[in-house]
Amino acid sequence: LMPSVISTDVLIVGAGVAGLWLNARLRRQGFSTVLVESASLGGGQSLKSQGIIHGGAKYALHGALSGASEAIADMPRRWREALDGKGELDLSGVRLLSEAHYLWSPGTIAGNLTSFFASKAVRGRVDQVKGEQLPPALQNPKFKGKVYRLAELVVDVPSLIERLAELAGDSLLAGQNVEPLYEGDELVGLRVDGRDIHAQRIVLSAGGGNADLLNALGVSQPQMQRRPLHMVLVKGPTLKPLFAHCLGGGPKPRITVTTHPAADGQCVWYLGGDLAEAEGVVREPDAQIAVARKELEALLPWVDLSQAQWATLRVDRAEPAQSGLVRPDNAFLDSQRRLMVGWPTKLALAPDFADRVLSQLSRDGIHPTPQSPLVDVPRPPMAIPVWDELLP
Ligand code: FAD
């Protein structure tokens, strides 16, 4: 049986946070959409992220304030409104893991925090916390450091992806093989597993998959870069919530810790930051776990890790190519005729990614047109949270 030809306003490829957020915003504005996913919803970088809705504090640590701090500063407010059901999307029901992310200075580290507190990204938005206001894992008589509350949220990404999938309605399509559809030499849509989909606009939001997709479409720009990470996961019955960048004196946090609920009710600490970068990437998993254990024993000597289970996760961040692997500043979108391609560069910047597509549609004079719903098609499954996959 030949699958019927489908027409849609916007055809999106890749259902991570960027594609799903964009899809939900477009549908809310009345556009018809089809969102194609080759594996599972959120199963790329999105469900492997730490879920921090950055407001720029981390970047202000570099000292010199970069553009990133400015662009990202509004994201916590936009996410909070959406989580309250009053924003650009109705994300009420999505689980918030923490009302705040914290900056944790473990001992006496040099005065470069002065410029940090003076910087635009954090001015007036950072409060020192003590005693019972400290994150539960740091509430111990032996704790010595200083802790500051940042105006940043931490979301439970699995529940976010589930909600965005609900908002996708019938627009989701499972499909592996994507080929260009031309009329003359104009790209007019994509053929997905043999099914022709015509679209006014095509958006590639496939994360690390964008490079291959561009290749398949014979498009050479924009170029993509990958930056590898080697994250550590630790699960144990004694772990308490902790959401913090632990400072080590350098420009990057020594460790960034977030806490996630495992299916069995235990807490999982997910460790990134400098630990997971350059040297951490070179280490074999066992060596990486040994370093992480030593760090936790040094920083949190009162935490009993004797029953803890450990795992590591290698994962690449996919972004537009930058000289010298500098972290990109904003969500990135490139537009060439009917084709748009981009990367949010941060989970937190998914709203910025959607803004950029919506402005391009408006510049191009693309309006919603009536379309029939997508019926009787294969649907992509939800991805499994990494902590449940790696530490069952
Ligand atoms: P992805 O989530 O990778 O989604 C792309 C999707 O496209 C995938 O589902 C994939 O299967 C699909 N796909 C690929 N190829 C094809 C194809 N040919 N056809 C169809 N579908 C395809 N950001 C923050 O803001 N806060 C954080 O705390 C944070 N922590 C992070 C921690 C880690 C370890 C990592 C790696 C990243 C972190 N990030 C964080 C960055 C953030 O995760 C990413 O910027 C964001 O998730 C990217 O979303 P995306 O939708 O572009 O990509």
Side-chain angles (χ1 to χ4, degrees):
L1 201 84
M2 268 299 287
S4 56
V5 176
I6 298 165
S7 272
T8 190
D9 293 327
V10 185
L11 170 56
I12 308 168
V13 184
V17 71
L20 284 163
W21 189 289
L22 168 66
N23 187 46
R25 287 218 45 209
L26 288 169
R27 289 172 57 86
R28 194 165 177 174
Q29 300 200 2
F31 286 98
S32 67
T33 60
V34 173
L35 172 50
V36 181
E37 169 56 50
S38 60
S40 56
L41 303 172
Q45 298 155 86
S46 297
L47 271 180
K48 294 169 185 145
S49 83
Q50 294 190 277
I52 305 165
I53 307 305
H54 300 283
K58 185 168 85 161
Y59 309 115
L61 284 175
H62 292 253
L65 188 64
S66 71
S69 313
E70 312 284 349
I72 209 165
D74 203 27
M75 291 302 145
R77 181 192 62 81
R78 287 178 66 172
W79 279 80
R80 185 171 294 279
E81 284 178 8
L83 292 164
D84 289 344
K86 296 177 205 137
E88 59 209 65
L89 293 178
D90 180 1
L91 299 185
S92 51
V94 171
R95 185 167 177 183
L96 196 57
L97 293 179
S98 181
E99 288 286 341
H101 194 63
Y102 295 83
L103 198 65
W104 160 27
S105 167
T108 46
I109 60 158
N112 65 356
L113 275 185
T114 318
S115 66
F116 170 72
F117 286 122
S119 74
K120 231 181 185 173
V122 294
R123 204 186 298 150
R125 301 156 135 235
V126 183
D127 299 303
Q128 191 173 356
V129 294
K130 292 178 177 170
E132 284 174 5
Q133 293 177 317
L134 286 170
L138 302 182
Q139 291 182 21
N140 187 281
K142 288 189 199 137
F143 177 69
K144 288 282 180 326
K146 285 193 173 136
V147 179
Y148 305 88
R149 189 180 204 273
L150 302 173
E152 302 188 340
L153 315 168
V154 188
V155 297
D156 178 54
V157 181
S159 76
L160 167 69
I161 297 296
E162 243 164 70
R163 176 62 184 148
L164 291 174
E166 265 171 44
L167 295 176
D170 64 17
S171 63
L172 300 174
L173 171 66
Q176 271 81 41
N177 187 24
V178 174
E179 298 162 277
L181 264 186
Y182 296 106
E183 254 165 32
D185 40 3
E186 198 191 345
L187 181 72
V188 293
L190 298 174
R191 177 170 293 159
V192 178
D193 291 349
R195 197 180 254 113
D196 287 2
I197 308 177
H198 290 258
Q200 300 199 69
R201 287 294 177 273
I202 300 160
V203 180
L204 306 183
S205 57
N210 276 348
D212 285 348
L213 283 167
L214 287 172
N215 212 20
L217 300 184
V219 176
S220 61
Q221 292 292 331
Q223 304 255 312
M224 187 181 93
Q225 74 183 27
R226 293 171 182 274
R227 288 188 304 148
L229 287 171
H230 195 185
M231 305 290 286
V232 178
L233 297 94
V234 50
K235 173 162 116 173
T238 60
L239 303 189
K240 291 180 183 163
L242 182 57
F243 300 89
H245 296 306
C246 176
L247 300 177
K252 281 190 174 159
R254 173 173 172 180
I255 299 191
T256 297
V257 190
T258 48
T259 309
H260 305 268
D264 63 7
Q266 292 187 44
C267 282
V268 175
W269 281 352
Y270 194 25
L271 311 176
D274 212 30
L275 169 75
E277 306 259 353
E279 282 176 55
V281 172
V282 178
R283 282 180 207 120
E284 292 300 318
D286 286 347
Q288 178 70 340
I289 287 169
V291 170
R293 179 192 276 275
K294 240 178 110 186
E295 283 281 75
L296 294 185
E297 285 168 355
L299 291 164
L300 304 155
W302 55 88
V303 176
D304 173 14
L305 294 169
S306 59
Q307 294 176 67
Q309 288 172 264
W310 299 79
T312 72
L313 173 71
R314 289 188 185 279
V315 52
D316 288 344
R317 291 158 293 183
E319 302 161 338
Q322 306 260 311
S323 55
L325 293 190
V326 182
R327 196 193 48 75
D329 279 337
N330 302 296
F332 173 93
L333 186 74
D334 181 76
S335 173
Q336 21 193 316
R337 289 141 77 76
R338 281 196 201 209
L339 181 67
M340 291 179 230
V341 53
W343 297 267
T345 76
K346 292 260 113 197
L347 175 100
L349 285 165
D352 185 39
F353 180 80
D355 283 356
R356 284 162 197 268
V357 173
L358 285 161
S359 337
Q360 188 64 42
L361 292 177
S362 137
R363 272 198 294 278
D364 292 354
I366 304 293
H367 300 290
T369 60
Q371 303 288 347
S372 39
L374 196 59
V375 289
D376 294 333
V377 298
R379 308 287 185 179
M382 266 295 295
I384 297 165
V386 274
W387 29 94
D388 290 326
E389 202 180 302
L390 297 174
L391 296 170

